[in-house]
Amino acid sequence: MSAAELTRSVWDVNADDYSADAPFGERLRFLLRYAILAPSSHNSQPWRFRIEGRAVHVAADESRWLRAADPDRRELFVSLGCAVENLVVAAEHFGFDPAVSYPDGGTERIATVTMDDGASERRPAAPFDELTARYTSHERFDGTPLDSPTRNRLVAAVEGAPVALHLVNGDAKRAVGELQAEADRLQMKNRAYREELGHWIGLGALGHSWLLARVGQAVVAHLDIGDREAAKNSVLVESAPVVGVLTTASDDPAARVGTGRAFERVALRASAAGVAVHPMSQILERPALRRRLASELDFDGATPQHLFRLGYADEAAEDTPRWPVESVLDGE
Ligand SMILES: Cc1cc2nc3c(=O)[nH]c(=O)nc-3n(C[C@H](O)[C@H](O)[C@H](O)COP(=O)(O)O)c2cc1C
């Protein structure tokens, strides 16, 4: 993996360049240009793809697994689920009828997306145009509440998925803010975590704003910035009208991939509605805090898999870079 290959030009993908007459493999390669625009933890993009006939196999790239932040690989699988969902949304847009299977329970081969040719009767699962418009917002939100129709639209995005979306506000959200501050302090005390974050910031994966931000320099300089991160993130949680939490009944790789798929659907719908989205993973990265979150928010025994702020921000973020399709495609 090399920093030189990371590029923002991937965002210029244009649906008009898709040719329905092109050979099947070429068309599937085109769909992958949308898959790689998916969000991922630290923008690590831990995916590998292989095209075989009508199938696209999705596997994990363990060299991009965040060992310090994500020892149990939850974020790895959630990130892969986001890429699977982008692939599905793009496939539906171009008239395929994609079917997703999890061949070995989703450990080695994370998922296989098989494309039936011919126009699907179903409506697209999410707005296709948002694949190139969605981004993560790190801004303070302006406090405007999410009205009921918007909340309902986001909850409907996970209908039929083995995943529940909880929209948290009021006292429960205050509890999330306190846990977030605790998690930031703990993570920033962890040298391996700081060094890993510094590595990804240094690569430029998180974009210029991160690279130039004080946090980037401080991480590299090994300062104890836990208190500053905690204070900053408390304000961010406070500014959000709602925190979203996705939970699953089981806690296996397939549930986590399913979480990523559901999250990406929510993120694409939020993008269409002008709602900003900001994942915050630190609570879930600390097992004791993850358990406290589950008990304080009373998820009825379900496991929290992904947490994110939802709200309205004034400024759009700049595009983050990606490794292009050719560098994540096997067997070509
Ligand atoms: C599983 C997962 C966990 C994430 N955790 C965080 C986080 O803790 N803090 C944060 O600022 N962004 C987080 N993100 C957002 C990524 O940093 C972001 O997706 C990536 O930098 C690419 O940028 P983009 O979403 O704007 O395309 C997470 C994303 C995913 C999929």
Side-chain angles (χ1 to χ4, degrees), residues 50-72:
R50 191 163 56 80
I51 293 173
E52 187 181 30
R54 297 183 161 270
V56 179
H57 303 296
V58 184
D61 180 348
E62 294 265 331
S63 73
R64 296 184 188 169
W65 162 40
L66 307 175
R67 285 176 168 71
D70 184 36
D72 69 354

Side-chain angles (χ1 to χ4, degrees), residues 35-81:
I36 62 159
L37 301 181
S40 60
S41 188
H42 290 9
N43 202 20
S44 54
Q45 306 161 55
W47 37 70
R48 304 288 318 173
F49 301 100
R50 191 163 56 80
I51 293 173
E52 187 181 30
R54 297 183 161 270
V56 179
H57 303 296
V58 184
D61 180 348
E62 294 265 331
S63 73
R64 296 184 188 169
W65 162 40
L66 307 175
R67 285 176 168 71
D70 184 36
D72 69 354
R73 294 182 170 82
R74 182 185 47 79
E75 291 169 35
L76 177 80
F77 290 120
V78 172
S79 300
L80 286 157

Side-chain angles (χ1 to χ4, degrees), residues 23 45 101 135 141 145 164 253 288 299-300:
Q45 306 161 55
S101 60
Y135 60 86
F141 294 163
F299 294 134
D300 214 9

